[in-house]
Amino acid sequence: MGAIPRFVLGESSPQPASPARGESDAALLDAYSSAVIAASERVGPAVVHLEVAQAPRPGEGDAKRRGTGSGFVFTPDGFILTNSHVVHGARSIKVSFADDASLDADLVGDDPDTDVAVIRIGGHQLPTATLGSSRRLRVGQLAIAIGNPYGFQHTVTAGVVSALGRSLRSVTGRLIDDVIQTDAALNPGNSGGPLVNSQGEVIGVNTAIIPFAQGICFATAIDTAKWVVEQLLRFGRVRRAYIGVGGATIPLSRRAVRFHGLAAEAGVRVESIEPGGAAQRAGIEPGDVIISYDGENVAGVDELHRLLSAERIGKATRVTLLRRTQKLDLPITATELPSRQ
């Protein structure tokens, strides 16, 4: 076994200077530490711990399921942002602040497709977190995650923005677009807490980790969250269009692409049709391959989901599809996607 190296200063070597007694710790902090401290002190009072009692699943009888998570106040009168998966189906929600104040909350609305939810408590002049913008984020930028994992109040972890524009599969099967990837460590109790920049502005809502993968954590971009909040406050839900098909992404044959002059090399094969839905009324059949909707190319299920936005509810448009060797344009009018309870 090799000798353990030792590093010894000679008598003539310069000795490290020790800080003067009574010198302020703040003078010893580097810019990185100062930024993390300032951001956490600015946002920390607005971060809350959530205790959620959820309805039992079928077959569980009257047994109550409980969960915890984080959230943050974004208006002085008590509106709180958190994750849909934390509060969806909640029977009761209890909100706790750092000063041990505990209040009951009501669910305003949640959107499982983006994992964003809004709850509200009674109050005024509450500490709030400032919502920033995720549009101008850059890879390598400082990212600070604040939350209440397992009830440890105001746990702070710091890292950097690892990647931008990621897509993350939600529990409903839709893709959450424009997701922020960070290496700021998250724990299950961090769900719903804020991801902030060095100015203490919220740039994302912490949402998920990759199990057994260190340093791969995700947050819903705050620009997406702000749009969802607007929808939830106006309608109590996020409105999306719906045509009533079940489909799968498939590659198109080179022959079909060349023959029809298609821009994409994949489409959505219709696997099932909802009776009485928009697709059935339009004449779409199982086995058809959708390649365009409202003049936009459809190269997969996720692209079709993105095109079925609220603006297309009730809008008369056309769907382009391949049926065996034919290319067809059919008139179609999407309806509103039923809310998920």
Side-chain angles (χ1 to χ4, degrees), residues 291-312:
I291 57 174
S292 175
Y293 186 88
D294 198 16
E296 301 283 343
N297 291 327
V298 174
V301 172
D302 296 322
E303 289 190 14
L304 183 57
H305 279 162
R306 281 193 287 270
L307 291 172
L308 293 173
S309 58
E311 293 76 15
R312 290 183 167 90

Side-chain angles (χ1 to χ4, degrees), residues 52-66 89 91:
V52 181
Q54 296 173 321
R57 295 189 181 98
E60 290 182 336
D62 294 329
K64 290 184 179 180
R65 294 183 296 122
R66 296 189 177 274
R91 280 185 169 179

